[in-house]
Amino acid sequence: SQGSPLANVVVVSGQADPRGFSQRDGMLVMSARPVRSSLLARVCELALGLGEASPPLPDEPDTPAPSSPARILVADDNPTNQALIRAQLARLGRTCTVVDDGGQALDALASRPWDLAIVDVHMPVFDGYTVARQWREREASIGGHLPIVAMTANAQPDEVVRCRSAGMDGFIAKPANLADLRKMLDTWLPKAALPPSTMLDYELLRENFGSDAVAARIVREFSRVTRSELAAVMDTLDTSSPAELRLWLHRTVGGMHVFGSTALTDRGDVLEQVIDGLEPVAAHEAFAAFGASLGALLDEIDGWAEGIEEA
């Protein structure tokens, strides 16, 4: 028997999809990783309304909106250590607020809610042990429990015991490596504060451009130019034709591929292929949604580059 066509457009995507294909915005999107003859035949049947009728495919699930960034306070009096941990957190897609001593740390803790405090055990004004003890005393009256992690160059058993006795939840050796820092963040940050997985492969960037410093300069320039051009397009979006938007996507998404293939570049490739066939209103809406995601990518790479530049 024959059914109704599920879509009039079939788009081939370079993004892996364990389902093989999905329905998205009135299109059938088939994964080319890998292409199987049986899959291709099935997608064509559905697009043409041939073969046995099937229940409609679910639309591709929307990407959850990013939750609020985790609020991380770092207390350390050494400028080099401050720059290092800021850069490392940026590499992991995080931002932080840095203060210089234990007195500033207590003031900052009292000024707003935090998700995590990372404190050096040896600081001016108040050391990390005192900061932890005083904050635990305050929590006894106001409620709550803030994860406090000690940074120490002396990760000996007696130091660990002292950290625990002061009310700290854990410790990390200084200088920290990325693997230990990531494990610590995964342990103590609330799950709701975890950001979406990074959109770029920073290891690939380092390989392609030779160093973090060079990669940071290049992505900064890409971000600057793209932000300016995107703002200009958005200002005139209501009067832009689908063909004009396609040309912009071709140039911009092509530049994004320099940084590696991601879900967003795949999405841009798909939109470039189909936007000419959309009604102007639908084209504008699809482009605006892509532009919002592109803005999030630019925010991410700017944060990463800033961390590298400050290291």
Side-chain angles (χ1 to χ4, degrees), residues 83 86-88 90-91 220 302-311:
R86 192 192 297 272
Q88 289 176 318
R91 290 272 298 278
R220 276 286 212 186
D302 279 345
W304 175 78
E306 181 180 348
I308 296 300
E309 292 164 352
E310 292 181 354

Side-chain angles (χ1 to χ4, degrees), residues 13-193:
S13 169
Q15 184 176 0
D17 186 339
R19 300 166 297 178
F21 61 98
S22 62
Q23 189 175 7
R24 185 192 311 170
D25 299 329
M27 303 176 290
L28 284 171
V29 181
M30 184 183 74
S31 173
R33 299 176 57 189
V35 173
R36 300 189 303 274
S37 58
S38 59
L39 173 63
L40 179 60
R42 180 61 179 147
V43 169
C44 290
E45 286 180 352
L46 291 172
L48 294 171
L50 303 175
E52 295 183 1
S54 302
L57 290 173
D59 287 343
E60 184 177 86
D62 293 333
T63 301
S67 55
S68 300
R71 298 160 297 188
I72 302 174
L73 177 68
V74 174
D76 194 305
D77 63 308
N78 186 297
T80 301
N81 290 334
Q82 290 177 354
L84 176 62
I85 194 166
R86 192 192 297 272
Q88 289 176 318
L89 288 170
R91 290 272 298 278
L92 297 173
R94 310 285 185 170
T95 58
C96 65
T97 298
V98 177
V99 296
D100 298 325
D101 60 52
Q104 292 180 16
L106 286 170
D107 289 342
L109 290 173
S111 69
R112 53 173 287 191
W114 298 91
D115 296 306
L116 175 67
I118 305 172
V119 299
D120 185 18
V121 295
H122 301 295
M123 295 183 293
V125 185
F126 299 117
D127 60 25
Y129 311 111
T130 302
V131 169
R133 279 194 295 268
Q134 291 198 18
W135 189 251
R136 295 302 181 221
E137 291 172 3
R138 180 179 174 89
E139 285 179 338
S141 59
I142 66 175
H145 182 90
L146 171 69
I148 301 176
V149 174
M151 284 193 297
T152 174
N154 175 26
Q156 299 300 313
D158 59 337
E159 183 83 340
V160 175
V161 170
R162 190 177 179 190
C163 290
R164 298 290 190 190
S165 299
M168 296 180 180
D169 297 281
F171 71 92
I172 188 166
K174 188 172 67 171
N177 61 56
L178 276 179
D180 289 343
L181 191 59
R182 181 185 289 108
K183 182 178 179 181
M184 183 268 288
L185 295 176
D186 289 345
T187 299
W188 296 112
L189 282 180
K191 300 305 180 187

Side-chain angles (χ1 to χ4, degrees), residues 180-212:
D180 289 343
L181 191 59
R182 181 185 289 108
K183 182 178 179 181
M184 183 268 288
L185 295 176
D186 289 345
T187 299
W188 296 112
L189 282 180
K191 300 305 180 187
L194 292 175
S197 59
T198 184
M199 289 188 243
L200 289 183
D201 184 341
Y202 293 108
E203 294 296 331
L204 179 62
L205 281 181
R206 187 177 305 110
E207 291 177 9
N208 286 345
F209 298 112
S211 71
D212 281 343

Side-chain angles (χ1 to χ4, degrees), residues 227-244:
R227 281 185 191 279
S228 176
E229 293 182 350
L230 179 60
V233 174
M234 296 303 295
D235 285 343
T236 59
L237 183 59
D238 290 343
T239 58
S240 297
S241 69
E244 290 171 329

